[in-house]
Amino acid sequence: MTDPLCVPARPLAHPADWTGDPTRDLGEPGAFPFTRGAYAEMYTRRPWTMRQYAGFGTASATNERFRALLAAGQTGLSTAFDLPTQMGYDSDHPMAAGEVGRVGVAIDTVEDIATLFHAIPLDRVTTSMTINATAAILLAMYVVAGEEQGVPRDQLGGTVQNDVLKEYIARGTYIYPATPSLRLVTDIFRFVAEERMNFNPISISGYHMREAGATAVQEVAFTLANALEYVRRGIDAGVPLSAFGPRLSFFFAAHNDLFEEIAKFRAARRLYARLMRERFNADDASARLRFHSQTGGVTLQAQQPLNNVVRVTVQALAAVLGGTQSLHTNGYDEALALPSQESATLALRTQQVLAFESGMTRHIDPLAGSWYVEALTDRIETEARALIEQVDALGGAAAAVERGFFQRAIAASAWAIQQAQESGELTVVGLNRFADDAPSPPIPLPDYRALEQEQQARLAAVKTQRDSAAVAVAIARVKEAAAGTVPLMAPIIAAVRARATLGEISDALREVWGTYRAPGA
């Protein structure tokens, strides 16, 4: 189902359909308002970064997958963490029971991070970490692991997701109330800037809202509304925009409607540039929207799973034609289980065929000037701006989250999509049309109980060998910093270095800040 806000008036486009000004609304690639691309040369100098998202049980198992993907030609790592890690619980905590290593890698201490990146040179490979509520702790572990590998902070490169607002909206892996959570976000802004790290301190994510049922317009609007909140908070925390603005990054979904997705990416770049200039007088470096994209997990089907190869290819094509800076392509079997080695490699090969066989890297924004694409870009920008103005009227993104504005809007669109699928208005090949009775292929699953026991044993060994008194002192300093106003990254790094666990540091912050309760919960 196409986003109803974006359906053109007629199926045949005409010159009159686009009323924009090429100079004002398009410009040149790499120049304000960046409609045609974030950089002047785009892929003609080098292709986008190819990142495959991976995280499997233990750090050692994930390290094997990382090294296999790098050997296959992947150019950047992307790490999935299990739910206990995301929620600030160690693998031996009762709340972690049955969840250790199930949807990503279990990380309890810096020793796990060292194992995760064993034999991977952190000064030459960039790493993206999908982590939010515990982002400061995982970044601290990455910094300490780098130090112990001999890599100084200013040579570490990558991205930490660190986008807690979308957790309250759509994903649910939040821990603390919004105000201290946003303090952690801006503390990471400050730390990355002061340490001159080649790190994006946040990946402002529309992806998870789209996966929850947001339309393309909502994805753009709500992502940019969150971005404006983060920028305001960073400036209010005393971090100059010039110190963090150029390092802000974004994360969008790529779904099935090819032209709508292409127009969505172009509209997001242009609208962000205009809003940053209008509201913060940002220079081009801070107004340039750079984004990672991932093909749509929610679009994958367990029925006839090989059809997902085609879906992923169409979605990857949309991301590239829309000007993504990096891309993850899903494995065709991910509707059934974590991707197999075979499907992950095929997903990477999909990107490589697009990059090296399709000819797309010889051209910059080849659809520019298309009456249909330009009109669709304009329309998405206009409708997204109107939604952002509604968020502004509520007091900004944080206030809108507390009032449930985003959540209600996404729930309504998700319900509409579900109804369209069930009625047949929206065709899903192999599910509600062209279906057959073929069973889904069997997927072997790991022994999660044995995996959990292995991880708990690793954690126990670290606790036995560490200096418990030094850990207690470090945790006390984390609590003291949390109760005051000083930046938190330094005491968290000190605690990590002393081998305090992720759960112990998270509990220290819970003790000071409490936990978040959703409205009505």
Side-chain angles (χ1 to χ4, degrees), residues 60 83 87 148 156 176 204 231 270 282 300 316 336 339 362 384 389 396 415 432 444 461 467 496 507:
S60 58
L83 281 176
M87 298 297 293
E148 295 179 357
L156 293 172
Y176 316 110
I204 307 163
V231 171
R270 185 165 72 202
L300 300 176
L336 301 166
R362 296 196 295 269
E389 289 171 354
W415 175 244
N432 65 2
D467 183 338
V496 164
D507 283 345

Side-chain angles (χ1 to χ4, degrees), residues 249-297:
S249 63
F250 291 79
F251 175 23
F252 290 111
H255 277 209
N256 287 332
D257 191 315
L258 180 70
F259 293 108
E260 178 177 277
E261 294 300 287
I262 294 166
K264 177 190 77 178
F265 297 132
R266 299 170 87 248
R269 259 194 312 271
R270 185 165 72 202
L271 180 55
Y272 180 69
R274 287 173 167 168
L275 289 168
M276 289 294 287
R277 181 169 287 185
E278 292 165 9
R279 300 189 182 199
F280 304 105
N281 194 31
D283 61 14
D284 283 2
S286 293
R288 178 185 286 111
L289 186 152
R290 301 168 301 113
F291 71 98
H292 169 74
S293 49
Q294 180 175 338
T295 56

Side-chain angles (χ1 to χ4, degrees), residues 111 461-475 494-501 504:
E111 303 294 352
V462 172
K463 287 182 175 180
T464 299
Q465 296 164 9
R466 69 188 184 179
D467 183 338
S468 298
V471 171
V473 169
I475 290 295
V496 164
R497 192 179 287 115
R499 271 40 186 183
T501 70
E504 289 167 341

Side-chain angles (χ1 to χ4, degrees), residues 64 94 127 149-150 152 205 224 247 392 435:
E64 290 180 15
T127 301
Q149 198 186 88
S205 305
L224 299 192
R247 300 303 309 175
D392 291 340

Side-chain angles (χ1 to χ4, degrees), residues 62-139:
T62 304
N63 175 261
E64 290 180 15
R65 176 62 63 87
F66 278 168
R67 288 194 284 164
L69 287 168
L70 290 170
Q74 179 171 303
T75 52
L77 299 175
S78 186
T79 309
F81 298 96
D82 71 357
L83 281 176
T85 302
Q86 295 180 53
M87 298 297 293
Y89 294 112
D90 289 333
S91 296
D92 60 358
H93 194 284
M95 289 292 290
E99 292 293 341
V100 175
R102 281 188 176 266
V103 297
V105 61
I107 300 294
D108 295 315
T109 71
V110 70
E111 303 294 352
D112 292 325
I113 290 289
T115 301
L116 183 64
F117 295 105
H118 174 68
I120 296 172
L122 297 184
D123 56 343
R124 298 200 299 274
V125 174
T126 60
T127 301
S128 176
M129 295 186 282
T130 302
I131 199 72
N132 297 281
T134 55
I137 303 170
L138 268 295
L139 179 59

Side-chain angles (χ1 to χ4, degrees), residues 317-342:
L317 183 64
V320 172
L321 289 172
T324 193
Q325 273 59 68
S326 68
L327 175 61
H328 164 81
T329 35
N330 291 327
Y332 67 83
D333 53 2
E334 287 190 57
L336 301 166
L338 292 172
S340 64
Q341 178 73 52
E342 175 194 36

